[in-house]
Amino acid sequence: MSPMSVILPIVVALAAAFAIEAAATARRVSLRPGDVAIRLGAYALIMAFWFVFSWRPWLAGFSIVTTIVVTVLVNRLKRRVLGEPLVFSDLALLRQVPQHPELYYTTPLTHPKTAVPLLLGAGCAAFWYTVEPAALPHGLGASLAAIVALPLALLALGFAARTRHGRAAFAARFPAPDLEADVARTGVLATMLAYWARRDAEAAAPSPAGKLSLPPGRGDEVVVVVQLESFMDPARLGGPTLPMMERVRGEAVQYGRLTVPTHGAYTMRSEHAALTGREGASLGFGGFDPYLSGGGREPTSLARLARAASYETVFVHPYHPDFFDRAGVMRELGFDRLIMIEDFSDAPRVGPYVGDASVAERILAEVRGRKGPILVFCSTMENHGPWKPGRLAGIDDPLGQYFHHVGNAGRAVEALIDGLAAEEATLCVYGDHAPSLPCYRPGDGDPRTDYALFRFGRPRAGAPQRIDLRIAALGCRLRDAVRSETT
């Protein structure tokens, strides 16, 4: 095979990939030589990856073009639904898609809508494999050497990226996260690869020493924090007035709108901010998925602080422990005991998920059965998307389904208010992000969620105050309830 028969497919594939991504980009594509080189370099790297499996130039070229088409389509969908382009941490979540397809608006691998295209694609690749000759050198020894050398070369590039000089080169081009600008400058694929390298470098750097510290004084005997899935006051979406919200405005110590990191997804960003009091920006490139980056190793997390103050620490989440690797992360964050989907095997489902009423009952059971001070942090699931026909009997409209579930969330919170009223307790409830509804996309209305903070068993200091907060500030505020001396 002549050199031109290898070079031509590479040139055609890189040009086609560039044209496709440029045509799909809303902003003007940067034509600066350095930016173009980074973009084409990412295409070439992915093409070389596909080439390893076939040694057929045109097939590898078709594979990179297909990769770009799929990336552009998924990126466009994500922007429309969540208001954010694809980022490197999305690749880490891919392994969860086959396990939990309903959460990612996809069908199982065995469903015809998924299985048929995959089988057709595999069949086409197999046919192409037989038609196009391999671009291997003549002779068995030379062919084997080439087959081994190319993967080793790609591995060497990976190791080079992790050296001091490689990390310095990435840091010079991508000094800090600026996702929208970097995607416009170098493309989605290059930005994903570069951000992954930058996050890897941050993870390898020594972590600053954390110091366990709490405000002095006596803490509350019971601290309950409930992260309500996709919760915001339904009246803001034209829905009914929740009795819960009336009680919030009349009985809470403080309440208000809560600025959260994202719209419609990425619960782990809000959860991490509430548990650590850290803004996502302080995590650098790890802020896109704090659990992937730190794995819960936060010495000043609320659960660690509570455990150091002799609290029992309990995490409640009526879903699978492998989702976001919550089981491992929550133990690292300082939770002694995890109550997850297997503990709700007999609980009724409302739609596809465990109902919020059952979760509230379990929280109150933990409080009643405590042997000392206790911190309970809960992430609910009932109101998780997708909202689609067949989810609830007689309600196919997504907004109507949302109102039904958020009404249940309101009643669950009222049950917690009533159940904790006789305790010396703090109750905090908040929405992790706005719902990803067809009628409420990023840019529609106020993206903030709602929160409320109740204090029971102590004299009221005054009328409820509306104080709008960022979620990390709410996490810091919760430390006032868990103090260094308990009785």
Side-chain angles (χ1 to χ4, degrees), residues 17-80:
F18 188 97
I20 290 168
E21 190 170 26
T25 302
R27 298 171 63 173
R28 185 174 178 271
V29 172
S30 172
L31 296 179
R32 284 186 253 181
D35 295 341
V36 173
I38 292 173
R39 190 185 291 258
L40 293 179
Y43 299 159
L45 192 62
I46 301 301
M47 185 174 176
F49 170 80
W50 289 121
F51 189 67
V52 163
F53 295 98
S54 69
W55 283 87
R56 284 152 174 80
W58 286 107
L59 179 56
F62 178 77
S63 298
I64 179 57
V65 171
T66 302
T67 301
I68 288 296
V69 170
V70 171
T71 300
V72 163
L73 292 175
V74 175
N75 185 65
R76 180 176 293 177
L77 175 64
K78 187 186 173 189
R79 278 186 177 279
R80 181 170 59 85

Side-chain angles (χ1 to χ4, degrees), residues 114-151:
T114 303
V116 170
L118 289 177
L119 290 172
L120 285 175
C124 289
F127 176 75
W128 198 324
Y129 202 92
T130 63
V131 172
E132 183 182 1
L136 285 168
H138 295 293
L140 180 61
S143 295
L144 289 176
I147 290 171
V148 172
L150 183 56

Side-chain angles (χ1 to χ4, degrees), residues 455-467:
R455 301 292 295 273
F456 305 109
R458 299 193 180 205
R460 291 184 66 92
Q465 291 183 292
R466 174 171 173 172
I467 304 174

Side-chain angles (χ1 to χ4, degrees), residues 444-483:
D444 295 340
D446 187 343
R448 294 176 297 175
T449 62
D450 292 276
Y451 84 96
L453 191 63
F454 298 85
R455 301 292 295 273
F456 305 109
R458 299 193 180 205
R460 291 184 66 92
Q465 291 183 292
R466 174 171 173 172
I467 304 174
D468 296 343
L469 290 176
R470 296 183 64 83
I471 191 167
L474 178 62
C476 293
R477 175 74 174 82
L478 290 172
R479 296 177 187 179
D480 291 338
V482 182
R483 295 173 182 258

Side-chain angles (χ1 to χ4, degrees), residues 203-266:
S207 300
K211 182 179 179 182
L212 293 171
S213 61
L214 282 169
R218 188 168 63 87
D220 287 337
E221 186 77 5
V222 175
V223 179
V224 175
V225 184
V226 182
Q227 178 175 266
L228 297 168
E229 175 62 41
S230 301
F231 179 84
M232 61 191 306
D233 184 354
R236 294 166 54 192
L237 299 175
T241 300
L242 279 186
M244 166 205 159
M245 295 306 297
E246 295 299 321
R247 295 190 68 174
V248 163
R249 288 185 277 269
E251 301 174 32
V253 172
Q254 70 180 67
Y255 66 93
R257 301 280 173 87
L258 191 66
T259 300
V260 293
T262 55
H263 179 113
Y266 294 114

Side-chain angles (χ1 to χ4, degrees), residues 56-397:
R56 284 152 174 80
W58 286 107
L59 179 56
F62 178 77
S63 298
I64 179 57
V65 171
T66 302
T67 301
I68 288 296
V69 170
V70 171
T71 300
V72 163
L73 292 175
V74 175
N75 185 65
R76 180 176 293 177
L77 175 64
K78 187 186 173 189
R79 278 186 177 279
R80 181 170 59 85
V81 175
L82 304 180
E84 179 181 285
L86 284 171
V87 70
F88 74 94
S89 55
D90 294 323
L91 295 176
L93 297 177
L94 282 178
R95 62 183 176 85
Q96 297 185 159
V97 176
Q99 297 169 315
H100 311 287
E102 70 283 356
L103 296 186
Y104 292 94
Y105 297 79
T106 62
T107 56
L109 292 176
T110 54
H111 193 281
K113 287 185 177 179
T114 303
V116 170
L118 289 177
L119 290 172
L120 285 175
C124 289
F127 176 75
W128 198 324
Y129 202 92
T130 63
V131 172
E132 183 182 1
L136 285 168
H138 295 293
L140 180 61
S143 295
L144 289 176
I147 290 171
V148 172
L150 183 56
L152 289 178
L154 292 177
L155 287 174
L157 283 175
F159 282 116
R162 303 182 72 176
T163 64
R164 180 167 59 89
H165 295 296
R167 285 171 173 161
F170 277 108
R173 284 286 184 176
F174 301 88
D178 191 352
L179 189 56
E180 291 289 351
D182 287 332
V183 166
R185 186 167 59 88
T186 63
V188 175
L189 275 181
T191 302
M192 292 173 77
L193 294 173
Y195 276 33
W196 199 322
R198 292 290 286 125
R199 196 276 310 174
D200 183 64
E202 289 177 343
S207 300
K211 182 179 179 182
L212 293 171
S213 61
L214 282 169
R218 188 168 63 87
D220 287 337
E221 186 77 5
V222 175
V223 179
V224 175
V225 184
V226 182
Q227 178 175 266
L228 297 168
E229 175 62 41
S230 301
F231 179 84
M232 61 191 306
D233 184 354
R236 294 166 54 192
L237 299 175
T241 300
L242 279 186
M244 166 205 159
M245 295 306 297
E246 295 299 321
R247 295 190 68 174
V248 163
R249 288 185 277 269
E251 301 174 32
V253 172
Q254 70 180 67
Y255 66 93
R257 301 280 173 87
L258 191 66
T259 300
V260 293
T262 55
H263 179 113
Y266 294 114
T267 295
M268 80 289 276
R269 298 182 191 175
S270 297
E271 195 169 81
H272 182 272
L275 282 168
T276 65
R278 293 188 63 179
E279 293 281 358
S282 72
L283 303 173
F285 290 86
F288 294 105
D289 187 340
Y291 292 168
L292 174 66
S293 301
R297 292 179 292 277
E298 293 279 0
T300 56
S301 78
L302 182 65
R304 283 183 180 270
L305 296 172
R307 190 165 65 182
S310 301
Y311 280 72
E312 180 185 5
T313 53
V314 182
F315 176 69
V316 180
H317 180 52
Y319 204 59
H320 301 279
D322 65 328
F323 195 61
F324 295 153
D325 193 25
R326 270 202 177 97
V329 169
M330 290 303 161
R331 288 192 179 94
E332 283 287 346
L333 282 168
F335 287 97
D336 297 315
R337 196 151 50 84
L338 310 181
I339 298 171
M340 307 197 80
I341 189 66
E342 59 273 10
D343 299 292
F344 289 92
S345 57
D346 297 327
R349 268 57 175 169
V350 182
Y353 310 112
V354 174
D356 288 348
S358 298
V359 176
E361 289 174 8
R362 183 57 188 258
I363 292 171
L364 293 175
E366 292 295 320
V367 170
R368 289 191 292 267
R370 74 188 186 280
K371 297 178 180 178
I374 188 171
L375 164 69
V376 180
F377 186 96
C378 171
S379 294
T380 68
M381 275 298 293
E382 180 186 331
N383 207 17
H384 202 293
W387 296 275
K388 57 184 181 181
R391 175 181 178 128
L392 292 173
I395 309 176
D396 284 344
D397 174 56

